């Protein structure tokens, strides 16, 4: 019933108008299912490689016809008759067929498109919801201890003692749960023309009692922020790649001030109801061992000085999450950031870990960061993504399932985050339909699952969550 009969691929376009890969798979007795691969603008150097038609005149070499041809030819032949429900084997065949450590021969975009479409096709063939099939797959993923033992037997480096960076929130990963959204309000960096150095200024509705209320609060804060930016003539209606406002501001800190003001204008309490998240994306302003802040008149900071700046922001504002606070290869800086702030803030490794369980294992072993961003196209297959997510949860790291800046109408990650019970999702803002496709699917799942899906909200942060009075007193 779940044997693959047909694989097809085509070139389609993402939210930035850049070509990407769409794959369709049909199993025996099932309907055709499809998946579309996203693409990032802010990419880490350790990510899997998306294959583009570089050197061709068409679309300035950004086409993906080579990746599409790999799916239609070599990959389709290798998977003809394979069991789409055996995700681990499907992804193993794809990785072995590619034969490179970063999926550069066939292209991570080709491999991931097939990997995701296979999961969707298996669900269709079994006549069940995608979320139920993903839940079945999640139950099959072995513990990180078992995976490490398999790596050791295969001659790879064995794992060493684990370091748990915070108190584990044990319910995560154990059943269906609606995620706490981490939502972009103001965009900077590579997502909005570079006026601001930091890439995203986000909110987390930590005090919401349900996903529905969380989304209501987010939309209200976003609207109030737009009004504030218009009133101060900051270009309030201009938006970046992910739908966050792209105002002209004099400093990175001014963006946080506006977001805090918008929370208050929405009748909500900064800290108690809605906390602040930052995506620093520091790799993109790291130059010759220094962090160069253009919005700070070209200020050059050492790793220790940037850590000090971030620490001062945590004192001053209700910041509960910081992503990529240091550059992807600045492990010493990351170690210092973790020592200084891990008991107060979620420290997310994105470019640092690139959804790789091997890089995440290095972080665990060295006590670096306490959270990992989960992006399917960084690692390039569904099973590898699930393994990294399992490793995070087994070792007390918060996973945050994330979209990319170049997104599509595909809502796969909404089902993924609920099925795995990962706890958090980062999609972008609440404008642009490629973002709303995920938020709206979460609303559907909330309604369909009812009491079968938990809502942890801000409680998943446990002891690091601070009240409004706490951060205000610290900043005075």
């Amino acid at each position: 019933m779940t044997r693959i009969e047909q694989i097809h691929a085509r070139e389609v376009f993402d939210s930035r108008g850049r070509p990407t890969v769409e794959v369709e798979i049909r199993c025996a007795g099932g309907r055709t299912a499809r998946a579309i691969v996203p693409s990032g603008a802010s990419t880490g150097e350790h990510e899997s490689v998306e294959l583009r038609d570089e050197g061709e005149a068409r679309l300035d070499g950004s086409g993906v016809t080579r990746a599409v041809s790999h799916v239609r030819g070599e990959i389709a032949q290798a998977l003809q008759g394979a069991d789409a429900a055996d995700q681990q084997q499907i992804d193993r065949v794809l990785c072995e067929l590619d034969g490179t450590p970063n999926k550069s021969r066939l292209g991570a975009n080709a491999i991931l498109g097939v990997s995701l479409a296979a999961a969707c096709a298996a669900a269709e063939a079994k006549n069940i919801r995608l979320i139920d099939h993903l839940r079945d797959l999640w139950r099959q993923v072995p513990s990180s201890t078992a995976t490490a033992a398999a790596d050791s037997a295969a001659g790879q480096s064995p794992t060493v003692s684990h370091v748990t960076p915070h108190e584990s929130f044990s319910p995560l990963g154990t059943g269906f749960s609606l995620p706490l959204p981490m939502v972009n309000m103001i965009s900077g960096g590579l997502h909005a023309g570079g006026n601001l150095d930091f890439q995203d200024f986000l909110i987390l509705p930590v005090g919401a009692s349900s996903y529905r209320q969380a989304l209501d609060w987010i939309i209200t804060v976003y609207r109030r922020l737009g009004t504030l930016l218009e009133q101060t003539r900051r270009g309030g209606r201009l938006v970046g790649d992910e739908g966050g406002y792209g105002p002209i501001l004099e400093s990175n800190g001014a963006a946080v001030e506006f977001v805090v003001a918008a929370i208050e204008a929405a009748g909500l309490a900064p800290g108690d109801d809605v906390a602040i998240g930052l995506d620093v994306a520091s790799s993109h302003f790291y130059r010759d061992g220094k962090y160069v802040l253009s919005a700070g008149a070209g200020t050059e900071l050492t790793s220790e000085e940037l850590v000090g700046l971030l620490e001062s922001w945590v004192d001053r504002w209700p910041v509960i999450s910081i992503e990529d606070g240091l550059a992807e290869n600045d492990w010493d800086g990351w170690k210092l950031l973790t020592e200084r702030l891990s008991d107060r803030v979620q420290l997310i490794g994105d470019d640092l870990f690139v959804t790789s369980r091997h890089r995440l294992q290095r972080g665990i072993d060295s006590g670096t960061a306490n959270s990992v961003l989960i992006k399917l196209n960084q690692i390039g297959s569904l099973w590898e993504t699930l393994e990294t997510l399992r490793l995070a949860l087994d070792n007390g790291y918060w996973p945050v399932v994330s979209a990319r800046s170049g997104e599509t109408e595909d809502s796969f990650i909404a089902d993924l985050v609920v099925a795995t019970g990962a706890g958090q999702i980062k999609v972008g803002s609440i404008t642009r339909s490629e973002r709303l496709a995920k938020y709206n699917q979460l609303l559907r799942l909330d309604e369909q699952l009812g009491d079968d899906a938990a809502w942890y909200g801000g409680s998943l942060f446990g002891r690091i969550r601070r009240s409004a009075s706490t951060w205000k007193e610290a900043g005075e």
Side-chain angles (χ1 to χ4, degrees), residues 408-462:
T408 75
E409 63 271 25
D410 193 311
S411 60
F412 188 98
I413 64 170
D415 288 77
L416 178 68
V417 72
V418 176
T420 58
Q424 295 179 76
I425 193 168
K426 183 186 179 208
V427 172
S429 202
I430 43 76
T431 59
R432 302 178 56 131
S433 60
E434 78 278 1
R435 312 291 155 185
L436 272 298
K438 284 76 165 170
Y439 291 126
N440 289 338
Q441 176 63 2
L442 288 170
L443 286 172
R444 297 182 196 104
L445 293 173
D446 190 14
E447 180 182 278
Q448 291 170 16
L449 295 170
D451 293 339
D452 290 335
W455 165 258
Y456 301 122
S459 65
L460 63 88
F461 290 120

Side-chain angles (χ1 to χ4, degrees), residues 69 102 136 168 185 191 196 209 290 317 356 389 469:
S69 69
N102 58 1
D136 289 343
S168 178
M185 292 286 115
H191 291 176
L196 300 172
S209 60
K290 294 291 182 67
W317 295 301
S356 162
L389 208 161
S469 60

Side-chain angles (χ1 to χ4, degrees), residues 273-284:
D273 294 328
V274 182
I276 302 292
L278 305 171
D279 181 358
V280 181
S282 57
S283 293
H284 301 287

Side-chain angles (χ1 to χ4, degrees), residues 168-181:
S168 178
F169 189 76
S170 58
L172 289 182
T174 60
F176 290 136
S177 70
L178 272 297
L180 177 70

Side-chain angles (χ1 to χ4, degrees), residues 97-256:
L97 191 65
D98 175 82
T100 68
N102 58 1
K103 301 178 177 64
S104 58
R105 190 180 76 82
L106 297 176
N109 42 355
I111 292 171
L112 180 62
V114 175
S115 178
L116 300 184
C120 296
E124 286 285 354
K126 292 193 293 183
N127 196 30
I128 63 174
R129 298 174 301 184
L130 175 60
I131 190 172
D132 294 317
H133 177 62
L134 291 176
R135 185 66 190 164
D136 289 343
L137 293 180
W138 178 237
R139 291 191 183 102
Q140 297 170 26
V141 181
S143 69
S144 57
T145 303
T147 303
D151 284 348
S152 181
Q156 298 182 32
S157 298
T159 184
V160 297
S161 60
H162 296 165
V163 178
T164 302
H166 62 79
E167 294 175 353
S168 178
F169 189 76
S170 58
L172 289 182
T174 60
F176 290 136
S177 70
L178 272 297
L180 177 70
M182 182 186 302
V183 182
N184 193 353
M185 292 286 115
I186 291 179
S187 296
L190 297 182
H191 291 176
N195 168 241
L196 300 172
D197 301 294
F198 292 7
Q199 188 160 275
D200 294 326
F201 299 83
L202 311 104
I203 61 171
L204 292 83
V206 293
S209 60
S210 67
Y211 173 74
R212 173 80 255 187
Q213 184 179 58
L215 202 57
D216 287 353
W217 284 5
I218 289 162
I219 291 169
T220 304
V221 173
Y222 186 84
R223 290 176 177 175
R224 298 296 180 271
L225 177 59
T227 299
L228 289 172
L229 291 171
E230 282 187 338
Q231 289 173 345
T232 54
R233 301 181 183 276
R234 303 301 180 111
R237 294 305 177 194
L238 300 175
V239 299
D241 283 346
E242 296 184 353
Y245 294 116
I248 304 300
L249 300 176
E250 64 275 11
S251 69
N252 296 301
V256 185

